[in-house]
mmCIF file of all heavy atoms in Angstrom:
data_model
loop_
_atom_site.group_PDB
_atom_site.id
_atom_site.type_symbol
_atom_site.label_atom_id
_atom_site.label_comp_id
_atom_site.label_asym_id
_atom_site.label_seq_id
_atom_site.Cartn_x
_atom_site.Cartn_y
_atom_site.Cartn_z
ATOM 1 N N GLY B 179 -13.673 15.515 -14.769
ATOM 2 C CA GLY B 179 -12.709 16.598 -14.499
ATOM 3 C C GLY B 179 -12.465 16.669 -12.929
ATOM 4 O O GLY B 179 -13.293 16.433 -12.149
ATOM 5 N N GLN B 180 -11.193 16.965 -12.650
ATOM 6 C CA GLN B 180 -10.717 17.120 -11.287
ATOM 7 C C GLN B 180 -11.373 18.363 -10.688
ATOM 8 O O GLN B 180 -11.257 19.448 -11.197
ATOM 9 C CB GLN B 180 -9.176 17.224 -11.266
ATOM 10 C CG GLN B 180 -8.483 17.589 -10.009
ATOM 11 C CD GLN B 180 -8.700 16.591 -8.842
ATOM 12 O OE1 GLN B 180 -9.792 16.329 -8.425
ATOM 13 N NE2 GLN B 180 -7.587 16.076 -8.464
ATOM 14 N N LEU B 181 -12.012 18.200 -9.545
ATOM 15 C CA LEU B 181 -12.628 19.261 -8.857
ATOM 16 C C LEU B 181 -11.662 20.027 -7.964
ATOM 17 O O LEU B 181 -11.781 21.206 -7.684
ATOM 18 C CB LEU B 181 -13.829 18.786 -8.014
ATOM 19 C CG LEU B 181 -14.891 17.973 -8.724
ATOM 20 C CD1 LEU B 181 -15.917 17.507 -7.748
ATOM 21 C CD2 LEU B 181 -15.555 18.892 -9.787
ATOM 22 N N GLU B 182 -10.690 19.271 -7.494
ATOM 23 C CA GLU B 182 -9.732 19.866 -6.457
ATOM 24 C C GLU B 182 -8.664 20.632 -7.242
ATOM 25 O O GLU B 182 -8.341 20.346 -8.345
ATOM 26 C CB GLU B 182 -9.065 18.691 -5.612
ATOM 27 C CG GLU B 182 -10.160 17.888 -4.939
ATOM 28 C CD GLU B 182 -9.578 16.618 -4.334
ATOM 29 O OE1 GLU B 182 -8.350 16.414 -4.368
ATOM 30 O OE2 GLU B 182 -10.363 15.815 -3.808
ATOM 31 N N LYS B 183 -8.056 21.554 -6.491
ATOM 32 C CA LYS B 183 -6.904 22.241 -7.026
ATOM 33 C C LYS B 183 -5.639 21.407 -6.958
ATOM 34 O O LYS B 183 -5.579 20.474 -6.102
ATOM 35 C CB LYS B 183 -6.672 23.572 -6.234
ATOM 36 C CG LYS B 183 -7.612 24.650 -6.568
ATOM 37 C CD LYS B 183 -7.197 25.893 -5.779
ATOM 38 C CE LYS B 183 -8.299 26.959 -5.811
ATOM 39 N NZ LYS B 183 -7.938 28.008 -4.936
ATOM 40 N N SER B 184 -4.659 21.716 -7.669
ATOM 41 C CA SER B 184 -3.399 20.897 -7.630
ATOM 42 C C SER B 184 -2.327 21.703 -6.867
ATOM 43 O O SER B 184 -2.427 22.888 -6.796
ATOM 44 C CB SER B 184 -2.950 20.495 -9.053
ATOM 45 O OG SER B 184 -2.589 21.685 -9.700
ATOM 46 N N PHE B 185 -1.314 20.923 -6.476
ATOM 47 C CA PHE B 185 -0.219 21.527 -5.764
ATOM 48 C C PHE B 185 0.733 22.173 -6.778
ATOM 49 O O PHE B 185 0.964 21.665 -7.859
ATOM 50 C CB PHE B 185 0.644 20.515 -5.016
ATOM 51 C CG PHE B 185 0.139 20.209 -3.614
ATOM 52 C CD1 PHE B 185 -0.141 18.868 -3.194
ATOM 53 C CD2 PHE B 185 -0.061 21.276 -2.744
ATOM 54 C CE1 PHE B 185 -0.556 18.652 -1.918
ATOM 55 C CE2 PHE B 185 -0.423 20.972 -1.431
ATOM 56 C CZ PHE B 185 -0.697 19.671 -1.010
ATOM 57 N N ASP B 186 1.353 23.322 -6.368
ATOM 58 C CA ASP B 186 2.475 23.853 -7.172
ATOM 59 C C ASP B 186 3.702 23.454 -6.339
ATOM 60 O O ASP B 186 3.936 23.947 -5.259
ATOM 61 C CB ASP B 186 2.349 25.371 -7.280
ATOM 62 C CG ASP B 186 3.460 25.936 -8.116
ATOM 63 O OD1 ASP B 186 4.683 25.483 -7.884
ATOM 64 O OD2 ASP B 186 3.237 26.804 -8.991
ATOM 65 N N ILE B 187 4.418 22.497 -6.884
ATOM 66 C CA ILE B 187 5.537 21.884 -6.133
ATOM 67 C C ILE B 187 6.609 22.929 -5.777
ATOM 68 O O ILE B 187 7.150 22.960 -4.695
ATOM 69 C CB ILE B 187 6.202 20.743 -6.912
ATOM 70 C CG1 ILE B 187 5.137 19.649 -7.093
ATOM 71 C CG2 ILE B 187 7.425 20.206 -6.262
ATOM 72 C CD1 ILE B 187 5.548 18.480 -7.992
ATOM 73 N N VAL B 188 6.912 23.802 -6.751
ATOM 74 C CA VAL B 188 7.903 24.846 -6.542
ATOM 75 C C VAL B 188 7.532 25.754 -5.386
ATOM 76 O O VAL B 188 8.338 26.013 -4.442
ATOM 77 C CB VAL B 188 8.199 25.628 -7.843
ATOM 78 C CG1 VAL B 188 8.979 26.852 -7.581
ATOM 79 C CG2 VAL B 188 9.002 24.710 -8.830
ATOM 80 N N ASP B 189 6.293 26.314 -5.455
ATOM 81 C CA ASP B 189 5.864 27.162 -4.414
ATOM 82 C C ASP B 189 5.910 26.505 -3.043
ATOM 83 O O ASP B 189 6.344 27.096 -2.058
ATOM 84 C CB ASP B 189 4.376 27.560 -4.648
ATOM 85 C CG ASP B 189 4.256 28.656 -5.761
ATOM 86 O OD1 ASP B 189 5.355 29.093 -6.185
ATOM 87 O OD2 ASP B 189 3.096 28.957 -6.125
ATOM 88 N N MET B 190 5.548 25.214 -3.031
ATOM 89 C CA MET B 190 5.506 24.469 -1.810
ATOM 90 C C MET B 190 6.980 24.319 -1.222
ATOM 91 O O MET B 190 7.183 24.563 -0.035
ATOM 92 C CB MET B 190 4.933 23.115 -2.007
ATOM 93 C CG MET B 190 4.468 22.373 -0.749
ATOM 94 S SD MET B 190 3.313 21.134 -1.305
ATOM 95 C CE MET B 190 3.704 19.898 -0.112
ATOM 96 N N ALA B 191 7.874 23.993 -2.126
ATOM 97 C CA ALA B 191 9.305 23.840 -1.644
ATOM 98 C C ALA B 191 9.841 25.129 -1.162
ATOM 99 O O ALA B 191 10.566 25.227 -0.145
ATOM 100 C CB ALA B 191 10.099 23.280 -2.765
ATOM 101 N N LEU B 192 9.519 26.247 -1.886
ATOM 102 C CA LEU B 192 10.036 27.571 -1.474
ATOM 103 C C LEU B 192 9.490 27.898 -0.068
ATOM 104 O O LEU B 192 10.172 28.387 0.769
ATOM 105 C CB LEU B 192 9.620 28.629 -2.473
ATOM 106 C CG LEU B 192 10.259 28.565 -3.884
ATOM 107 C CD1 LEU B 192 9.583 29.532 -4.819
ATOM 108 C CD2 LEU B 192 11.686 28.899 -3.776
ATOM 109 N N ALA B 193 8.161 27.693 0.077
ATOM 110 C CA ALA B 193 7.550 28.078 1.381
ATOM 111 C C ALA B 193 8.053 27.147 2.491
ATOM 112 O O ALA B 193 8.007 27.605 3.697
ATOM 113 C CB ALA B 193 6.082 27.942 1.208
ATOM 114 N N SER B 194 8.503 25.917 2.180
ATOM 115 C CA SER B 194 8.811 25.039 3.191
ATOM 116 C C SER B 194 10.306 25.144 3.663
ATOM 117 O O SER B 194 10.704 24.496 4.682
ATOM 118 C CB SER B 194 8.602 23.553 2.791
ATOM 119 O OG SER B 194 7.278 23.400 2.313
ATOM 120 N N GLY B 195 11.070 25.913 2.994
ATOM 121 C CA GLY B 195 12.461 26.175 3.405
ATOM 122 C C GLY B 195 13.560 25.452 2.720
ATOM 123 O O GLY B 195 14.647 25.336 3.273
ATOM 124 N N ALA B 196 13.320 24.911 1.515
ATOM 125 C CA ALA B 196 14.318 24.225 0.773
ATOM 126 C C ALA B 196 15.476 25.181 0.448
ATOM 127 O O ALA B 196 15.298 26.373 0.252
ATOM 128 C CB ALA B 196 13.765 23.567 -0.469
ATOM 129 N N ASN B 197 16.714 24.660 0.272
ATOM 130 C CA ASN B 197 17.879 25.471 -0.034
ATOM 131 C C ASN B 197 17.971 25.809 -1.553
ATOM 132 O O ASN B 197 18.384 26.879 -1.970
ATOM 133 C CB ASN B 197 19.132 24.703 0.333
ATOM 134 C CG ASN B 197 19.927 25.440 1.387
ATOM 135 O OD1 ASN B 197 19.437 26.416 1.996
ATOM 136 N ND2 ASN B 197 21.087 24.877 1.726
ATOM 137 N N PHE B 198 17.507 24.820 -2.341
ATOM 138 C CA PHE B 198 17.643 24.908 -3.851
ATOM 139 C C PHE B 198 16.341 24.431 -4.363
ATOM 140 O O PHE B 198 15.875 23.345 -4.100
ATOM 141 C CB PHE B 198 18.814 24.102 -4.250
ATOM 142 C CG PHE B 198 18.954 24.055 -5.775
ATOM 143 C CD1 PHE B 198 19.778 25.001 -6.416
ATOM 144 C CD2 PHE B 198 18.420 23.030 -6.520
ATOM 145 C CE1 PHE B 198 19.945 24.995 -7.796
ATOM 146 C CE2 PHE B 198 18.591 22.980 -7.935
ATOM 147 C CZ PHE B 198 19.351 23.977 -8.514
#
Side-chain angles (χ1 to χ4, degrees):
Chain B
Q180 168 66 296
L181 303 176
E182 302 168 6
K183 285 186 192 170
S184 65
F185 272 128
D186 183 316
I187 297 176
V188 164
D189 283 353
M190 195 160 149
L192 290 172
S194 307
N197 245 5
F198 176 88

